[in-house]
Amino acid sequence: MPERRALAARHAEILAAAFAVLVVVASFVAGTGPTRPAAPPAGATPLTVVALGDSVPSATTCGCIGYVDLLAGRLGALTRRTPVVHNDATGGWTTADVVEDLGSGATRSDLRHADLVVVEIGANDFDLHRIEDPSCYPAPTSGCWDTTLAGLTSGLTRIVRTVRSVDVEPHARVAVIGYWNITVDGAVGRSRGQAFVAGSDALTRTVNASIQSVATATGATYVDAYTPLKGITGTRDPTDDLLGDGDHPNQAGHRLIAQAVLSVLVREGAVAAWQADGEPPALR
């Protein structure tokens, strides 16, 4: 835990200095090419992004700029506010781990000044030893995953409500992110056979439906990470967007996820409302 906190602090310290570089990289996420960010107006407050979840938002396995930092850089350029990131996500964490971490004074302190809280969690909740068992499908009604899905739903609901219970900025938004796959995909997934591919995809769609239902019930923003990497029909091959383990996104994958989050925030009006000279949006 202390090492993770130190890493998060170092990220926050270097982010402002690396802002121009991040914006150049992140601008390709939005398909705009390199841009030179305008200086924030005098007195503009920082734009604070907090990440909660597992190894995907933490990006520690990537050796690249993760989607949370890419997103923050692009938001800073669009809003003319200096981005600050507190990445409190940790590889291997389950929904229960995030719930527990929300009792941490350090994480609660990060949340108190958040403009955007990004939550991606749930994949590590599942015991996947039955993923190729045909009796476990359709996943929503088979009974194989009932307990875990119920725990994910209740845990994620608690996370969103706990975030809101902290003295956060009145215009803070909570964005919950789905998955392209809760286990390995691309060439690595295909190497395990068609039964595995079909089973992991079916379970992933069910998990995403649960995550989306929590977003709807709590008024949070749901972001679809499945379509950017897998396509609408699920037939797109994400191999080139993943690390060699087939489990975690590489730089290309993180760009796709960052773009997905940014697109939803733009569509919902959050980015315009966060502009340095704009009015804050209502709590979402």
Side-chain angles (χ1 to χ4, degrees):
M1 183 73 73
E3 181 179 350
R4 179 170 68 86
R5 296 297 180 198
L7 181 60
R10 288 197 296 273
H11 281 169
E13 290 170 2
I14 67 171
L15 191 56
F19 180 43
V21 175
L22 281 173
V23 169
V24 169
V25 175
S27 63
F28 287 101
V29 175
T32 60
T35 59
R36 186 178 183 85
T45 58
L47 183 77
T48 301
V49 178
V50 177
L52 306 173
D54 55 27
S55 58
V56 180
S58 75
T60 53
T61 60
C62 180
C64 65
I65 302 174
Y67 79 81
V68 176
D69 281 343
L70 284 171
L71 173 67
R74 187 61 183 156
L75 288 173
L78 292 172
T79 62
R80 299 179 63 209
R81 293 169 62 185
T82 301
V84 173
V85 173
H86 299 291
N87 197 325
D88 294 316
T90 298
W93 270 13
T94 65
T95 304
D97 291 320
V98 176
V99 170
E100 181 180 359
D101 184 57
L102 287 172
S104 158
T107 298
R108 294 177 75 87
S109 178
D110 292 343
L111 290 168
R112 286 191 180 99
H113 302 289
D115 296 283
L116 172 66
V117 181
V118 175
V119 184
E120 186 169 17
I121 195 65
N124 295 317
D125 294 15
F126 289 84
D127 179 355
L128 301 174
H129 73 283
R130 301 190 70 182
I131 201 164
E132 298 170 68
D133 183 348
S135 70
C136 288
Y137 302 96
T141 59
S142 71
C144 293
W145 321 104
D146 284 356
T147 300
T148 307
L149 286 168
L152 168 61
T153 299
S154 62
L156 186 55
T157 299
R158 185 175 175 184
I159 289 167
V160 175
R161 289 177 176 169
T162 302
V163 167
R164 293 247 174 78
S165 73
V166 178
D167 187 21
V168 295
E169 295 294 317
H171 56 283
R173 292 203 175 211
V174 180
V176 293
I177 320 299
Y179 291 91
W180 65 96
N181 202 318
I182 64 168
T183 182
V184 294
D185 207 324
V188 175
R190 291 193 298 275
S191 72
R192 299 185 62 168
Q194 183 55 37
F196 177 86
V197 171
S200 64
D201 185 72
L203 183 56
T204 298
R205 289 174 181 266
T206 301
V207 169
N208 285 340
S210 296
I211 294 172
Q212 186 171 15
S213 71
V214 171
T216 300
T218 60
T221 295
Y222 175 72
V223 179
D224 168 26
Y226 183 94
T227 301
L229 278 82
K230 298 294 294 291
I232 295 174
T233 62
T235 56
R236 181 182 182 275
D237 183 0
T239 299
D240 291 342
D241 304 312
L242 303 174
L243 296 175
D245 61 6
D247 193 21
H248 298 93
N250 59 19
Q251 187 67 87
H254 277 286
R255 286 179 180 140
L256 289 174
I257 300 171
Q259 173 61 36
V261 183
L262 179 63
S263 295
V264 173
L265 294 174
V266 169
R267 184 172 67 246
E268 292 193 348
V271 174
W274 282 328
Q275 288 177 347
D277 54 355
E279 293 295 324
L283 181 67
R284 292 295 302 271

